[in-house]
Amino acid sequence: MALSCKTDMITHLEVSDFENGGYMRTVTPYPVANSTFSVSKANMSGTKMEFVAEAVTANQGALFASYDLTIKFVDATPANGTITGTTVALKSIAASAFTKDATTGYPRATISVTGTEALTATKLTAADIANGDRFEINGTMKLTDGKSFSASNTSPNITGGAFYSSPFFYRLNVVN
């Protein structure tokens, strides 16, 4: 007994007709299980969040324009007062600050945020923060065609998967 089936191609899909997007892959530290980093309250200028990021878009990052970071302070220690944080701009890293990686062909850069930068952006002082508080940093990848991608419009496969390693979200915990 033999069976076969025939499928007629109704519409041919051209890969070049698909819309292109992008994501910012975290190369190191890898894996970025929960995108958590720490800064020391005692050494805000000397401690930082730091990672190597790779801009993945069509044509080896040719559509990449910038990676913009915002920051928000989360007061988890009411003992020293309660500060309601709002989301503010932290920094924008232009595509020109990235260098093409010899192995992957995609643009890479080391991105860092010191504790002092976090305080300055949120207009806080060391007296305003305590062990247990945190800063939440969100990234938005902007493309040259005007599109942008962040955790809010990217699928969990990209943001939460170990393969893509692109959370677009970073937590900066305050420790002693």
Side-chain angles (χ1 to χ4, degrees), residues 99-170:
T99 305
K100 185 175 183 174
D101 180 70
T103 304
T104 66
Y106 290 103
R108 286 186 179 180
T110 299
I111 297 174
S112 66
V113 176
T114 66
T116 300
E117 286 176 305
L119 286 175
T120 302
T122 56
K123 296 182 175 31
L124 297 173
T125 68
D128 296 324
I129 64 170
N131 184 30
D133 291 339
R134 67 182 180 273
F135 296 93
E136 294 181 346
I137 300 170
N138 285 286
T140 300
M141 179 185 214
K142 293 191 175 175
L143 304 184
T144 57
D145 62 6
K147 295 178 187 168
S148 61
F149 298 92
S150 64
S152 65
N153 68 349
T154 302
S155 83
N157 291 336
I158 302 290
T159 61
F163 177 79
Y164 294 103
S165 192
S166 183
F168 289 107
F169 174 80
Y170 314 93

Side-chain angles (χ1 to χ4, degrees), residues 14-149:
E14 289 291 332
V15 173
S16 60
D17 291 340
F18 290 131
E19 283 195 51
N20 292 306
Y23 61 94
M24 190 62 66
R25 186 172 81 83
T26 305
V27 178
T28 57
Y30 181 84
V32 224
N34 56 10
S35 311
T36 300
F37 300 86
S38 297
V39 289
S40 169
K41 179 179 161 100
N43 185 14
M44 291 298 278
S45 63
T47 54
K48 61 188 168 190
M49 166 187 93
E50 184 173 84
F51 60 96
V52 175
E54 183 173 77
V56 180
T57 71
N59 301 320
Q60 258 64 44
L63 294 174
F64 174 55
S66 68
Y67 194 49
D68 297 349
L69 301 177
T70 60
I71 189 167
K72 177 182 179 179
F73 176 70
V74 177
D75 191 343
T77 56
N80 68 337
T82 302
I83 298 172
T84 303
T86 58
T87 301
V88 296
L90 176 61
K91 62 172 70 177
S92 180
I93 303 110
S96 61
F98 287 64
T99 305
K100 185 175 183 174
D101 180 70
T103 304
T104 66
Y106 290 103
R108 286 186 179 180
T110 299
I111 297 174
S112 66
V113 176
T114 66
T116 300
E117 286 176 305
L119 286 175
T120 302
T122 56
K123 296 182 175 31
L124 297 173
T125 68
D128 296 324
I129 64 170
N131 184 30
D133 291 339
R134 67 182 180 273
F135 296 93
E136 294 181 346
I137 300 170
N138 285 286
T140 300
M141 179 185 214
K142 293 191 175 175
L143 304 184
T144 57
D145 62 6
K147 295 178 187 168
S148 61
F149 298 92

